[in-house]
Amino acid sequence: NALAALGKEDDARETYERVFPILEGEPRCARVDWERHSVHVNIGNTYSRTGNYEKADEHYKVAEKLGNDHMGETGGSEDDGRAMVLCAKRARSIALKREGRLDEAKTLMGEVLKQKVADDAAAAKRKAAEAAEASAAEKEGDTAMEVAA
């Protein structure tokens, strides 16, 4: 948020924390899970930028858990859940780098990139399969119309 951009990390964190009561009682769905996730990542980032990696990591772990939980929840989606997990891990990697823990940061970012490439390839494969299926259904419909005519 604008406060974080101005270096007012404590004020930014307080602003993010005001979102939690708004989300209480909201049903689990992609939009709300992403909101909860984003708030935790952003709070973690404010802690990271002020040199408190342990507090930052607490929030990254919550954000990652939300992603993992989202994959198995009714109304959840595996793609959204995986994206949440990757986002939390990416933020953790940047925080580790900021902490001077470069080897850990590189290892984690490598895992993120490897998973992102795999996820993108799987999504492209699903999209191609769906397009082929739609094309086959369209051809089948055209054939049925020709026979009826």
Side-chain angles (χ1 to χ4, degrees), residues 69-129:
D69 291 350
H70 188 77
M71 287 187 252
E73 288 288 325
T74 302
S77 105
E78 194 157 329
D79 288 342
D80 278 339
R82 253 202 295 280
M84 288 180 213
V85 169
L86 290 179
C87 178
K89 286 183 174 183
R90 184 176 57 243
R92 181 180 295 115
S93 174
I94 292 166
L96 284 164
K97 180 183 178 205
R98 191 175 281 128
E99 259 317 273
R101 296 163 62 177
L102 296 179
D103 290 340
E104 291 173 81
K106 287 178 185 179
T107 298
L108 185 56
M109 188 59 79
E111 291 172 17
V112 167
L113 294 173
K114 183 178 178 181
Q115 186 63 54
K116 178 69 172 135
V117 168
D119 290 351
D120 288 351
K125 187 176 180 178
R126 278 194 312 272
K127 187 174 181 178

Side-chain angles (χ1 to χ4, degrees), residues 11-148:
D11 294 336
R13 189 176 315 112
E14 288 175 21
T15 301
Y16 292 130
E17 288 171 345
R18 287 188 203 133
V19 174
F20 289 127
I22 296 168
L23 298 174
E24 281 181 27
E26 287 287 323
R28 296 286 308 259
C29 68
R31 181 190 61 79
V32 175
D33 279 358
W34 269 108
E35 288 294 326
R36 288 182 180 113
H37 168 273
S38 295
V39 170
H40 280 288
V41 168
N42 287 327
I43 291 171
N45 290 343
T46 66
Y47 279 118
S48 172
R49 286 189 294 264
T50 58
N52 191 339
Y53 175 79
E54 279 66 33
K55 287 295 283 184
D57 198 42
E58 288 176 22
H59 286 276
Y60 299 145
K61 286 177 181 174
V62 171
E64 187 173 343
K65 183 177 181 331
L66 283 167
N68 283 320
D69 291 350
H70 188 77
M71 287 187 252
E73 288 288 325
T74 302
S77 105
E78 194 157 329
D79 288 342
D80 278 339
R82 253 202 295 280
M84 288 180 213
V85 169
L86 290 179
C87 178
K89 286 183 174 183
R90 184 176 57 243
R92 181 180 295 115
S93 174
I94 292 166
L96 284 164
K97 180 183 178 205
R98 191 175 281 128
E99 259 317 273
R101 296 163 62 177
L102 296 179
D103 290 340
E104 291 173 81
K106 287 178 185 179
T107 298
L108 185 56
M109 188 59 79
E111 291 172 17
V112 167
L113 294 173
K114 183 178 178 181
Q115 186 63 54
K116 178 69 172 135
V117 168
D119 290 351
D120 288 351
K125 187 176 180 178
R126 278 194 312 272
K127 187 174 181 178
E130 289 168 3
E133 191 175 301
S135 178
E138 184 178 313
K139 285 179 185 176
E140 188 175 301
D142 290 347
T143 302
M145 289 179 71
E146 289 172 9
V147 169

